[in-house]
Amino acid sequence: MAISTYHATSLPKTCLPSFTTLKVPSKPKNLHLGCPESKRSSISCSSTVCNINSRENDFTTLQRPDSVGRFGQFGGKYVPETLLPALTELEKAFHSLADDEDFQKELDGILKDYVGRESPLYFAERLTEHYRRPNGEGPHLYLKREDLNHTGSHKINNAIGQALLAKRLGKKRIIAETGAGQHGVATATVCARFGLQCVVYMGAQDMERQALNVFRMRLLGAEVRGVHSGTATLKDATSEAIRDWVSNVESTHYILGSVAGPHPYPMMVREFHAIIGKETRRQALEKWGGKPDVLVACVGGGSNAMGLFHEFVRDSDVRLVGVEAAGHGLNSGKHAATLTLGEVGVLHGAMSYLLQDDEGQIIEPHSISAGLDYPGVGPEHSFLKERGRAEYHSATDEEALEAFKRVSRLEGIIPALETSHALAYLEKLCPSLPDKTKVVVSCSGRGDKDVHTAIQHLQV
Amino acid sequence: MACNMRTRDLLTGHLIVKRRTGDSSVVRAVVVDRNILVKNTPGSSNLIMKTLTKPQVETVDMDVSKGRFGRFGGKYVPESLITCLAELEAEFNSALRDTAFQAELATALRDYVGRETPLYFAERLTNYYKNSKGEGPEIYLKREDLSHGGAHKINNAIAQAMIAKRMGRKCVVAATGAGQHGVATAAACAKLGLECTIFMGTKDMQKQSSNLRLMKLLGATVESVDGNFKDASSEALRDWMGTMESSYYLTGTVVGPHPHPSMVREFQSVIGKETRRQAMERWGHKPEVLLACVGSGSNALGLFHEFVKDKDVRLIGVEGAGFGLESGSHSATLARGDVGVYHGALSYLLQDEEGQIVEPHSIGVGLEYPGVSPELSYLKDTGRAEFYTATDQEALDAYQLLCRLEGIIPALEASHALAFLNKLCPTLPDGTKVVVNCSGRGDKDVEMLFNHKFHSM
């Protein structure tokens, strides 16, 4: 499949393709694509509405992803030939681990003793009171405390899983890309823990803005390589990391930080984060004898959201709400609301929604929170949206900052700015919820890293 | 402490010690010696007294209910505070017996703080310390760095904030050194809807500016005080004494007049209790060596207390040797201090020939305290616990070592305990179970190290 690039000047002479957008002559209104093996009926859909027959919307039987890595029309493996064997090997190794008791035991042990799981399901009493209506009714709000994990966010769940997997594969070298540095720090952390060599690619501009995180990664023993091509930000760092991987596939494993990228990454990363939802189910049962009614999570690439949602996708009575970054507002052109305003295309090896202009060029996204500042989104989220299984909303920078301050002051928990987007949406959500609705918000990270930004904007 | 400042007026040139160990109502505390010198330094809010040159342990058991640990501890405060302290003690005892309070605290520790904290086998660190024959101790880290707020301080802050609420107080006052106690207190107050004022020394603010920002975001009012922790403490107490009816003084560590040391230790002892159970599950018996850094002593006592009666468990505390013990720039109170009264309790402290407080120094800001817990002073004198030191450089090296080997960034305070492994491990038999209290995470120190270019990269 022909894949054209949007930064042709940044490619070396040998013309290694990178994970890029699929160039289309015009905005696609109808995409006719081959259907997944398991479903024989064809799917004709616009980018916003689908006519699906009820059998295909039955999540209790739907295989996510299917055997070729598709979630409906989304997902897949849009990569150069050279990477296909590595991806196949990775998938095979991953599946074999599901039955490997030793691996599971080792992973569980590390998640418990190193990461600090299980993370609590915390009843946010003062936040609940804040949303109580004058008649005394309102939902009950719980925070799933991924902020308490080692390194301060959910990212470590996946980093640990993938590092262990890499060790299984006999790889001695790990590479990763990072924007603000959180995924880089999580990767450097696990590499130190397992004694693996670690190279993190980071845009030169990001390195300047996040010098402290660069220092942190180096303290942990990682090599941080600056990328100067393009806009010298995350997407360029991603391309460089992929280039490295193509050249070093034998010795190197690429730890992708989110549920994006080519199959099997979206599935693998989701599986490593699925523990969030599994724990939540058990904790909900212990605490109130039932399931949560609503799950709310912020969506950048989508990993923390998938981690919480996945366990409950088959429970049609559990509402799944994702919140993206609306930046300066959906009409401003400065946002990262991929599922709200994006279109379908291929980015970083997978078909999914993404923010592109009329010529198929990536639109530089914006969010006050670096982790949501991604022009794409995980293919499974695109699928859940299309099927109406999950709803996606957005919150602006300002709304997120307000939520950041609110939760800090009401609960003494400083949430990450990314998480604050999910918390911001509670303003719109709670008034509409029946009394005693059980809402679980994924508190995906702590906000220590955001204090500078917050203080500037909030004038505290 | 402000209470000592008040007593300045009450005291005359010669002072007399009333060594009534069972009496918690001692108002004036003095030391009788050949050279009695009492000096109230302008600008110093503390009454320092010259000490005996030879420690005399009067009792062998700890009369905890009266606030004495041997001869250490007590309530060296003005009359005006005695009632208050008695009220606090009564409330504390009542809370300990109140099953509803205990249940609420247990839930807060589990769901808010994130307990229990893991007992983590540090495999790569263990291998690092193995000798050429492949022998060496097994090193475990008690992961207080994973607690909400990033240090063990929250265990005490949340419990005391709950007591404040129980007493009907609307606001909380506290002093902080490195900022961890300030952050923990601000967080606990936000959670419980209490107003919060934190006093912090200007010198400390510069070194731990990230913690300062966190306190403000959590809604606390931060008052700056010229100097460091000891000055902030005095100012905080002065402030509190003006509003004693409606506010609560939340002490962060195991110093001060009774019942503060016992209260804080009680709330921190969850660390040791969990460790005992985890050790039993893990390897079927108790740990053999417990290692913790010592500033005032809260994390150390939190780990040690559970095991004090287990004579086969070795208790090792590590203080800050700063630029070296001979340099005079350190915080090694138990190593180099004398006995005296400071901040309301009899304990070891760093004082000069004239009974003036020596300004302590350590790269671990939380260790920079010229006094130390009376209970630890007692454990030292009775030989139950051993105390050593580590310099700034040794702590920095240990900090970087743990980063590289385990992917854990420890607080610089905890790094002092980790530094001592260098000297300790070669002396231990193969397979000895060592538990090091990883009392906090080092994110707060990254900025400081980065700015001062302590790193070697």
Side-chain angles (χ1 to χ4, degrees), chain A residues 63-203:
Chain A
Q63 204 188 347
R64 293 174 295 117
D66 63 17
S67 52
V68 291
R70 290 222 176 248
F71 304 90
Q73 60 162 320
F74 303 106
K77 281 185 192 181
Y78 296 84
V79 297
E81 283 293 331
T82 28
L83 285 181
L84 281 175
L87 291 174
T88 310
E89 181 196 36
L90 199 54
E91 188 181 353
K92 220 165 113 194
F94 180 73
H95 283 306
S96 76
L97 293 174
D99 300 319
D100 188 333
E101 268 187 40
D102 284 337
F103 178 87
Q104 289 303 323
K105 212 167 144 201
E106 194 181 354
L107 180 60
D108 286 344
I110 295 170
L111 288 173
K112 178 166 163 271
D113 291 343
Y114 186 68
V115 175
R117 298 209 77 90
E118 51 178 61
S119 59
L121 184 64
Y122 167 73
F123 176 52
E125 191 176 344
R126 291 192 77 207
L127 200 62
T128 295
E129 204 182 297
H130 173 77
Y131 289 112
R132 200 161 283 141
R133 301 186 271 270
N135 63 2
E137 296 184 345
H140 291 171
L141 302 177
Y142 291 80
L143 303 178
K144 182 60 175 153
R145 301 291 301 280
E146 294 299 295
D147 60 298
L148 290 175
N149 294 342
H150 181 48
T151 66
S153 81
H154 69 292
K155 296 260 175 224
I156 190 94
N157 301 327
N158 168 59
I160 287 280
Q162 288 205 47
L164 262 181
L165 176 60
K167 270 192 93 175
R168 273 303 166 113
L169 290 168
K171 310 278 173 163
K172 298 270 185 297
R173 187 173 174 266
I174 301 288
I175 59 173
E177 84 298 329
T178 194
Q182 288 310 113
H183 173 59
V185 169
T187 306
T189 297
V190 305
C191 289
R193 168 70 183 74
F194 293 116
L196 299 164
Q197 188 198 352
C198 181
V199 177
V200 179
Y201 285 93
M202 195 171 182

Side-chain angles (χ1 to χ4, degrees), chain A residues 113-114 126 192-193 411-412, chain B residues 112 120 124 148 190 282 406-407:
Chain A
D113 291 343
Y114 186 68
R126 291 192 77 207
R193 168 70 183 74
E411 295 290 346
Chain B
Y112 185 66
Y120 167 71
R124 293 192 77 207
H148 180 55
R282 218 36 168 306
E406 296 290 348

Side-chain angles (χ1 to χ4, degrees), chain B residues 328-377:
Chain B
S329 236
H330 60 79
S331 303
T333 315
L334 290 163
R336 286 296 162 101
D338 300 311
V339 176
V341 170
Y342 186 55
H343 284 164
L346 188 81
S347 191
Y348 276 93
L349 62 111
L350 291 172
Q351 57 181 341
D352 64 17
E353 285 300 310
E354 291 172 352
Q356 299 306 317
I357 285 291
V358 169
E359 195 75 31
H361 162 76
S362 172
I363 200 173
V365 177
L367 303 187
E368 262 182 341
Y369 183 64
V372 76
S373 150
E375 192 170 353
L376 284 182
S377 297

